[in-house]
Amino acid sequence: MANTFPAVRRTALLASAVALLGTLTACGGDGGTTTAAGHPSSTAPDRTATPATSRPASPVSPATSRPGTPGDTTAAPGDTAGSASASARAGGRCHTSALRASVGRMDPGAGQRNFPVVLTNTSSRTCTLYGYPGLAFTDAAGRQLGPDPKRTAASPETVRLTPGASAWAALSFASPEISGARTADPATLLVTPPDERDSLKVAWRAGEVPVGGAESQVSVTVLSPGAGP
């Protein structure tokens, strides 16, 4: 009986050791996961999903209206439709076909010869003139004599012509006998209204005019209301 107890004890201790070893093997003591073959694998990668970074929405620009579009009362910068000339607002420019040209009586003064060049509205509607008339002396063949008159410095104003009303500009030059300029005796004075291409012919009966030389300059003023001084 004395020998039985140690053998039993050894048997029990051996069974406990085997059971403990089986437990450690089943748990994979190295902390890894178990593969299908039963061998521990390397540490599994972290599969925790990373939150997607959300991009802020692009701001929507407010709709802008283009000047000059329907419904927009503000004209675009430089829009000619929104900046009509004073002439158009007052009733429209006077065209050559609606005017008659004439040259008034000479008004001498201090060695000068001054003539009013008159434009009269012969139409049945009101129109306007603005600026300088174009002037040129021509001979009987229509050839121009001398350069175009020089425009005097001035600030033009719109002249409103009712039917039958007139506007005038001063044509001036130094008396040829005083200036000693080269002269010619024109047959016609061509008068072109401002902003027009067609001219009006006026017979010139006032004698010689300067057409060359240092003192040959002829000048013209802006148009003013009336038929002369």
Side-chain angles (χ1 to χ4, degrees), residues 55-171:
R55 297 178 62 185
S58 299
V60 179
S61 301
T64 56
S65 59
R66 295 179 59 190
T69 55
D72 180 19
T73 57
T74 303
D79 183 8
T80 55
S83 57
S85 66
S87 177
R89 291 195 301 268
R93 185 177 79 245
C94 294
H95 298 291
T96 303
S97 59
L99 298 169
R100 181 183 70 248
S102 59
V103 177
R105 188 168 50 188
M106 182 184 68
D107 179 22
Q112 288 286 113
R113 294 186 179 181
N114 307 299
F115 300 87
V117 178
V118 182
L119 290 172
T120 302
N121 182 6
T122 60
S123 73
S124 60
R125 67 177 184 90
T126 298
C127 61
T128 59
L129 294 172
Y130 179 86
Y132 299 82
L135 302 178
F137 292 110
T138 62
D139 61 17
R143 293 185 295 264
Q144 182 169 338
L145 301 172
D148 292 341
K150 178 183 177 181
R151 295 178 175 183
T152 61
S155 298
E157 294 184 1
T158 300
V159 180
R160 185 170 180 267
L161 297 184
T162 56
S166 300
W168 72 285
L171 170 66

Side-chain angles (χ1 to χ4, degrees), residues 1-87:
M1 294 295 290
N3 294 330
T4 303
F5 179 76
V8 172
R9 186 175 181 182
R10 285 196 298 272
T11 301
L13 290 173
L14 181 59
S16 298
V18 172
L20 178 60
L21 179 60
T23 301
L24 292 174
T25 302
C27 293
D30 61 354
T33 59
T34 304
T35 65
H39 299 288
S41 68
S42 60
T43 303
D46 185 4
R47 299 180 181 275
T48 305
T50 303
T53 304
S54 60
R55 297 178 62 185
S58 299
V60 179
S61 301
T64 56
S65 59
R66 295 179 59 190
T69 55
D72 180 19
T73 57
T74 303
D79 183 8
T80 55
S83 57
S85 66
S87 177

